Amino acid sequence: MTQMTALICAEPGALRLESRPRPEPRLGHVRVRIGHVGICGTDYHIFGGQQPFLAYPRVMGHELSGRALDASSDGTIAPGDLVVVNPYLTCGTCRACRNDAPNCCEAIAVLGVHVDGGMCEEIVVPEANLYPAHGLSETAAAMVEFLAIGAHGVARARLRPGAAALIVGAGPIGLAAAIFAGIAGAQVTLRDASPERLALAAGVLPQARTEQVGQEAQATYDAVFDATGSIAAMNRGLDWLGHGGTYVLLSVVKGDLTFPDPEFHKRETTLLASRNALKSDFDHVMACIRDGRVPVDRLATHSTTLDQAATMLPQWAADRGALIKAIIHV
């Protein structure tokens, strides 16, 4: 059995390269030679020790693209094909899975979080979790998963063309939601506490309006999307929502949501949680990238190699406001 290199988070704050056996072929699975890995906020949280329900050591990485080493049984994937990895491993039998909502499977396991992920040279995943990425660059393919999370939240909101949409939190997920709200025909405003993040966002979406937290909001909106990771901000989002509006929570944090019921009711607010993404969201993202509607080159702001990631990832974790998406080239 040959060996491969993997980047291990041994414990909070400790990264090391390690030699591990290459994965063996498995029935119904496909081996993938990992090419590119996007670094997610979840990875920074794992490194920092803020990710609950995680057992160390862990191979992080769930924003993945690579080349198939095996053919799929249905013939849609051939060896050498560029693929995007859907990192959500589902049971297929729970109520959510039976109702075509595997993104919120009762027994979901996410690569790089609940099980070892893709910051390594090869992985083996169920063939249903691989999507051909014809027409995409390998770097763009590694960004499909985080973009799909934003696209899923926008799909949940069912935006009408011309709707006014506010995205609170201009990090990668907020930017993903802003991009796909714009593609849906909405007029987009981005709101964040960081002038640095708003400047980066303006470079990605020059057509969007930006507002800094601390300034009075300029309007109420048909839809508000929270991507802050802050329970305080999530509790304030209703303030900016117009009557008959939809509030979509992309953030998942510990804490209690508290809204004044009279305000919530008089606006007949629709409150939606948005979790992970569906295959249809991945397909939508890839189609929009192929059509040139997603500024992927502006999103990939930093890069490194697997050998250097143990050095670079802690530096980026300490100053995440200066980057949008960092990519590891394996």
Side-chain angles (χ1 to χ4, degrees):
M1 182 181 295
T2 59
Q3 299 292 109
M4 69 173 183
T5 300
L7 180 65
I8 312 296
C9 188
E11 59 187 28
L15 297 173
R16 67 168 184 260
L17 290 171
E18 185 177 285
S19 182
R20 288 191 165 191
R22 292 184 185 274
E24 294 289 330
R26 292 171 57 190
L27 185 65
H29 290 59
V30 170
R31 291 173 301 152
V32 178
R33 185 178 70 247
I34 296 297
H36 293 72
V37 183
I39 302 177
C40 174
T42 298
D43 301 317
Y44 295 120
H45 292 155
I46 293 170
F47 172 72
Q50 294 97 30
Q51 182 67 27
F53 314 119
L54 183 127
Y56 296 90
R58 177 63 70 225
V59 179
M60 301 181 294
H62 62 272
E63 299 179 6
L64 309 172
S65 69
R67 298 282 173 180
L69 294 173
D70 308 307
S72 62
S73 61
D74 63 3
T76 59
I77 295 171
D81 281 354
L82 177 65
V83 292
V84 168
V85 178
N86 179 334
Y88 321 131
L89 308 179
T90 60
C91 72
T93 58
C94 71
R95 181 186 302 273
C97 287
R98 295 196 310 271
N99 290 336
D100 298 322
N103 58 306
C104 48
C105 169
E106 294 174 18
I108 199 166
V110 180
L111 292 175
V113 181
H114 306 99
V115 297
D116 282 342
M119 290 189 187
C120 58
E121 293 180 298
E122 288 183 22
I123 61 171
V124 171
V125 293
E127 59 182 40
N129 286 66
L130 297 180
Y131 308 143
H134 306 305
L136 272 62
S137 70
E138 293 191 8
T139 298
M143 291 189 280
V144 169
E145 191 272 343
F146 95 84
L147 289 165
I149 290 176
H152 183 70
V154 170
R156 295 271 287 152
R158 298 182 180 180
L159 291 175
R160 296 190 182 102
L166 173 67
I167 289 82
V168 188
I173 299 300
L175 282 172
I179 288 166
F180 284 93
I183 288 171
Q187 299 171 357
V188 175
T189 299
L190 278 155
R191 188 171 174 83
D192 199 282
S194 167
E196 192 173 28
R197 277 208 177 275
L198 289 176
L200 286 171
V204 174
L205 288 171
Q207 69 274 30
R209 188 172 69 181
T210 58
E211 293 180 351
Q212 188 172 347
V213 172
Q215 300 171 342
E216 287 298 320
Q218 298 300 305
T220 54
Y221 296 86
D222 299 305
V224 174
F225 299 83
D226 180 89
T228 62
S230 163
I231 193 65
M234 292 164 73
N235 284 329
R236 283 206 61 199
L238 187 64
D239 295 347
W240 302 306
L241 189 66
H243 286 228
T246 300
Y247 188 22
V248 182
L249 300 177
L250 297 165
S251 297
V252 182
V253 299
K254 288 185 176 181
D256 295 326
L257 292 169
T258 56
F259 303 128
D261 184 63
E263 287 297 323
F264 187 81
H265 263 83
K266 82 177 184 182
R267 303 174 197 213
E268 199 177 45
T269 303
T270 298
L271 177 65
L272 295 170
S274 181
R275 187 181 184 195
N276 300 326
L278 297 167
K279 182 180 184 297
S280 58
D281 302 308
F282 282 78
D283 290 341
H284 179 47
V285 169
M286 287 192 282
C288 289
I289 292 174
R290 292 187 191 102
D291 291 345
R293 292 189 284 172
V294 180
V296 287
D297 292 341
R298 297 180 220 158
L299 293 169
T301 55
H302 293 67
S303 65
T304 190
T305 62
L306 187 63
D307 289 346
Q308 294 298 314
T311 299
M312 298 307 301
L313 195 148
Q315 295 179 24
W316 293 331
D319 188 17
R320 290 169 58 192
L323 60 83
I324 298 176
K325 181 58 61 176
I327 306 286
I328 297 173
H329 301 262
V330 178

